[in-house]
Amino acid sequence: MKVITTIEEMQTIMNKLELQDKSIGFVPTMGFLHEGHLTLLNKARKDNDIIVLSIFVNPLQFGPKEDYAEYPRDFERDRALAESERVDFLFHPSVGEMYPNEPSVKVTVQDRTDVLCGKSRPGHFDGVATVITKLFNIIRPTRAYFGKKDAQQVAVLEGLVSDFNIPVELIPVDIVRENDGLAKSSRNVNLLPKERQEAPILYRSLQAAEAAIKQGERNPANLIGIISNMITNESTGTIDYVQIYTYPQLKPLEKLEGTIIIALAVKFTKVRLIDNYITNIDR
Amino acid sequence: MKVITTIEEMQTIMNKLELQDKSIGFVPTMGFLHEGHLTLLNKARKDNDIIVLSIFVNPLQFGPKEDYAEYPRDFERDRALAESERVDFLFHPSVGEMYPNEPSVKVTVQDRTDVLCGKSRPGHFDGVATVITKLFNIIRPTRAYFGKKDAQQVAVLEGLVSDFNIPVELIPVDIVRENDGLAKSSRNVNLLPKERQEAPILYRSLQAAEAAIKQGERNPANLIGIISNMITNESTGTIDYVQIYTYPQLKPLEKLEGTIIIALAVKFTKVRLIDNYITNIDR
């Protein structure tokens, strides 16, 4: 595995591989790798000749009051994990390399952002779309892998790729969970021990909603009630949102039908967790 | 020459050429080709294996009160000209092909736009940067050619390419002029006959400024005075702006030194013309 820190070297390497008609699987991350990321790498390895992992904690996608400084980082651990996952190239640029000066352009997301996490994180998806645009131009991957845990991110990036005609295939990959159901996340380490014990209620509430849908519930408000009650009663976290939308358009709906997402975010002392359930309901 | 109207076909073709390691020269235009465009095509032909010309009047870069509907179009004439210039691929998509739905993302330009044409055309450079981002993703050129007449556009696109790490080389090409000095432009056909006779004063005023600089003038205000007086006295046009900035940063300056641009825009009855002079002044 080769660790690359400059854009120029990365582009030179990718250029050569492109001429050899190699398929490139790309997994962009902010590091502190967990099993969710490893699942993405495994999938990328199966589908492609070469895999590129990027580790870059992107300041542009953090709001001024968000956890950029506290975001967990452990490059040596990540490097060892990437090596053992047979990553070919690990792209690990500095902030100064990615943003040498105040950017003169950025990508702004016009749709799918005034709901869910976008609502409480103004500019977050602009930052995501901008860094992904840069990374796609640097890596020029054949396929790029994203976890469905950030379902809104996947929806936004599908819009980005389609509207900017970026020649890459986006591959959304299922959420990977701990044994107790908690969705894997680099931020989970910031849960207090008691909160860590409570946190699986997020997934259990989604499972309860799933069961209710199977029993015929089609009213979004009722499902939101079930979920909110469970989380409020069984955790010390504060609900940021529990919402149900069409997917990937993220438009409100009065009655469950078609492809829908039930998404939630809960704030704990030092960390805010998200989870979701996407399903298709016969019309 | 092959005329391509769909993004998919264009991407398929460019993919194949890329694998053959062909260098691709790209000239994006809004059509109604004139000698300025032909100069770009000639330069592209000299530098590259393959040349791609795009003709697309981009609605996104016209304001609601601007001349999108009146912008001159003559595809059959353009096609014949392109053929005679040995263009390999002429990309001519419809508006529906380029913007099948309300875009969910766009490029916004944060710098270099609050001056010159950007000031009176809010959103114009966002539209330019967005369509060029799309076209670069569709064509993936080695080099792209732009006329220096749109000097602010060149400055903005240099920011775009550099900040988004787009692997393309931008080649700015000198302004091509009519015999009487008027900068070639598709919009010149919209001048009234009397205005057409007056219009060379734009260039003559820039030449007067150049002469003054050679005689030692270093005060921007004095040069702006010379130019404004000439245009006001010798034409019926209304001055939109006469400005002097550093180039390509487009920052104001109190004393001429370094690389500077003198840029002007003048409104006539049905059309607004621009011209400029870029020079380097020893510090």
Side-chain angles (χ1 to χ4, degrees):
Chain A
M1 185 182 76
K2 206 165 163 21
V3 177
I4 316 280
T5 57
T6 71
I7 292 169
E8 196 183 344
E9 190 184 0
M10 197 72 237
Q11 285 186 318
T12 306
I13 290 171
M14 298 319 292
N15 240 351
K16 277 185 200 149
L17 291 170
E18 205 166 280
L19 284 176
Q20 294 164 24
D21 204 10
K22 299 283 188 201
S23 58
I24 313 292
F26 176 43
V27 179
T29 78
M30 299 208 298
F32 215 72
L33 302 178
H34 55 69
E35 237 170 281
H37 299 113
L38 305 188
T39 306
L40 301 182
L41 290 171
N42 270 322
K43 185 123 185 52
R45 167 61 68 201
K46 280 193 192 112
D47 301 346
N48 302 278
D49 300 323
I50 301 286
I51 51 175
V52 180
L53 167 70
S54 69
I55 294 183
F56 178 64
V57 184
N58 175 35
L60 222 61
Q61 72 192 65
F62 289 81
K65 290 177 183 170
E66 290 184 4
D67 60 347
Y68 174 67
E70 287 76 40
Y71 197 86
R73 294 161 171 89
D74 187 345
F75 182 67
E76 285 314 315
R77 183 177 153 279
D78 286 345
R79 183 217 289 259
L81 276 169
E83 187 103 48
S84 71
E85 291 293 322
R86 292 179 297 138
V87 165
D88 297 288
F89 298 98
L90 169 51
F91 182 52
H92 182 54
S94 68
V95 172
E97 176 73 8
M98 288 293 276
Y99 304 111
N101 30 48
E102 193 65 28
S104 73
V105 289
K106 68 173 184 178
V107 179
T108 49
V109 184
Q110 321 279 310
D111 195 20
R112 305 181 183 182
T113 58
D114 54 346
V115 296
L116 304 177
C117 292
K119 198 165 182 171
S120 60
R121 303 187 72 185
H124 168 68
F125 287 109
D126 292 353
V128 171
T130 299
V131 79
I132 291 294
T133 296
K134 286 169 67 74
L135 289 168
F136 281 176
N137 280 327
I138 295 164
I139 313 289
R140 291 193 172 210
T142 317
R143 300 179 188 87
Y145 296 79
F146 294 90
K148 284 189 193 163
K149 179 162 155 289
D150 293 316
Q152 187 171 16
Q153 172 171 282
V154 171
V156 165
L157 294 180
E158 279 175 357
L160 173 78
V161 163
S162 142
D163 288 348
F164 281 175
N165 311 106
I166 304 177
V168 62
E169 190 183 349
L170 288 194
I171 316 276
V173 177
D174 286 344
I175 296 175
V176 178
R177 300 182 179 281
E178 307 286 354
N179 286 336
D180 61 9
L182 177 62
K184 302 243 181 190
S185 164
S186 308
R187 289 187 171 97
N188 290 348
V189 295
N190 290 333
L191 287 165
L192 305 181
K194 181 171 183 305
E195 292 172 339
R196 175 62 191 82
Q197 294 215 313
E198 299 166 1
I201 189 63
L202 275 58
Y203 181 52
R204 287 209 306 276
S205 73
L206 291 172
Q207 287 180 305
E210 181 183 2
I213 291 170
K214 286 195 175 135
Q215 283 157 31
E217 183 62 75
R218 291 293 179 270
N219 182 336
N222 292 348
L223 292 169
I224 291 171
I226 292 171
I227 295 169
S228 303
N229 284 337
M230 284 179 72
I231 294 173
T232 308
N233 292 338
E234 297 180 44
S235 88
T236 52
T238 311
I239 292 176
D240 186 5
Y241 63 75
V242 177
Q243 287 169 349
I244 303 184
Y245 290 109
T246 62
Y247 193 83
Q249 298 77 14
L250 304 183
K251 298 298 170 206
L253 72 182
E254 285 181 13
K255 179 172 176 285
L256 300 196
E257 54 177 18
T259 303
I260 62 131
I261 181 168
I262 308 180
L264 54 83
V266 177
K267 286 183 185 165
F268 291 93
T269 310
K270 285 164 56 186
V271 65
R272 177 175 160 285
L273 300 184
I274 58 174
D275 204 342
N276 69 73
Y277 169 65
I278 297 173
T279 189
N280 189 56
I281 295 168
D282 286 341
R283 283 170 200 270
Chain B
M1 184 182 77
K2 207 163 165 4
V3 177
I4 314 280
T5 57
T6 72
I7 292 169
E8 196 184 343
E9 190 184 359
M10 197 72 235
Q11 284 186 318
T12 306
I13 290 170
M14 298 319 292
N15 241 350
K16 277 185 200 149
L17 291 170
E18 206 165 280
L19 284 176
Q20 294 164 24
D21 203 10
K22 299 284 189 198
S23 59
I24 312 291
F26 176 41
V27 179
T29 77
M30 300 208 297
F32 214 73
L33 303 178
H34 54 68
E35 238 170 280
H37 299 113
L38 305 188
T39 306
L40 302 181
L41 290 172
N42 270 323
K43 184 121 183 51
R45 165 61 70 201
K46 279 191 194 113
D47 300 346
N48 302 278
D49 300 322
I50 300 284
I51 51 176
V52 180
L53 166 71
S54 69
I55 294 183
F56 178 63
V57 184
N58 174 35
L60 223 60
Q61 71 192 65
F62 289 82
K65 289 177 184 171
E66 290 182 5
D67 60 349
Y68 175 67
E70 286 77 40
Y71 197 88
R73 293 161 171 90
D74 187 344
F75 182 66
E76 285 315 315
R77 183 174 152 280
D78 286 346
R79 182 218 289 261
L81 276 168
E83 186 101 49
S84 71
E85 290 295 321
R86 292 180 297 138
V87 165
D88 296 288
F89 299 97
L90 169 51
F91 183 51
H92 182 54
S94 68
V95 172
E97 177 73 9
M98 288 293 276
Y99 303 111
N101 30 49
E102 194 64 29
S104 73
V105 289
K106 66 173 185 178
V107 180
T108 49
V109 184
Q110 321 279 311
D111 193 23
R112 306 181 181 181
T113 58
D114 54 344
V115 294
L116 304 178
C117 291
K119 198 164 183 171
S120 60
R121 304 187 72 185
H124 168 68
F125 286 109
D126 293 352
V128 171
T130 299
V131 79
I132 291 295
T133 297
K134 286 169 68 74
L135 288 168
F136 281 175
N137 280 327
I138 295 165
I139 312 289
R140 290 191 171 212
T142 315
R143 300 179 188 86
Y145 297 79
F146 294 89
K148 283 189 193 164
K149 180 161 154 289
D150 293 316
Q152 188 172 16
Q153 172 172 281
V154 171
V156 165
L157 294 179
E158 278 174 357
L160 173 79
V161 163
S162 142
D163 289 348
F164 281 175
N165 311 105
I166 303 176
V168 63
E169 189 184 348
L170 289 194
I171 315 276
V173 177
D174 285 344
I175 296 176
V176 178
R177 300 183 178 281
E178 306 287 352
N179 286 335
D180 60 10
L182 176 62
K184 302 243 182 190
S185 164
S186 308
R187 289 188 170 97
N188 289 349
V189 297
N190 290 333
L191 288 165
L192 305 181
K194 181 171 183 302
E195 292 171 341
R196 175 63 191 81
Q197 293 213 314
E198 299 166 2
I201 189 64
L202 274 59
Y203 181 52
R204 286 208 308 276
S205 73
L206 291 172
Q207 288 180 303
E210 181 183 0
I213 292 170
K214 286 194 175 134
Q215 283 157 31
E217 182 63 73
R218 291 293 179 271
N219 182 335
N222 291 348
L223 292 170
I224 290 171
I226 293 171
I227 294 168
S228 303
N229 283 337
M230 284 179 72
I231 294 173
T232 307
N233 292 337
E234 298 179 43
S235 86
T236 52
T238 311
I239 291 175
D240 186 6
Y241 63 75
V242 177
Q243 288 170 349
I244 302 183
Y245 291 108
T246 63
Y247 193 81
Q249 299 78 12
L250 303 184
K251 298 298 172 209
L253 72 183
E254 283 180 16
K255 178 173 177 286
L256 300 197
E257 55 177 17
T259 302
I260 61 130
I261 181 169
I262 308 179
L264 55 83
V266 177
K267 285 183 187 167
F268 291 92
T269 309
K270 288 163 56 186
V271 65
R272 177 175 161 285
L273 300 184
I274 58 174
D275 204 343
N276 69 73
Y277 170 65
I278 298 173
T279 189
N280 189 56
I281 296 168
D282 285 341
R283 281 167 202 272

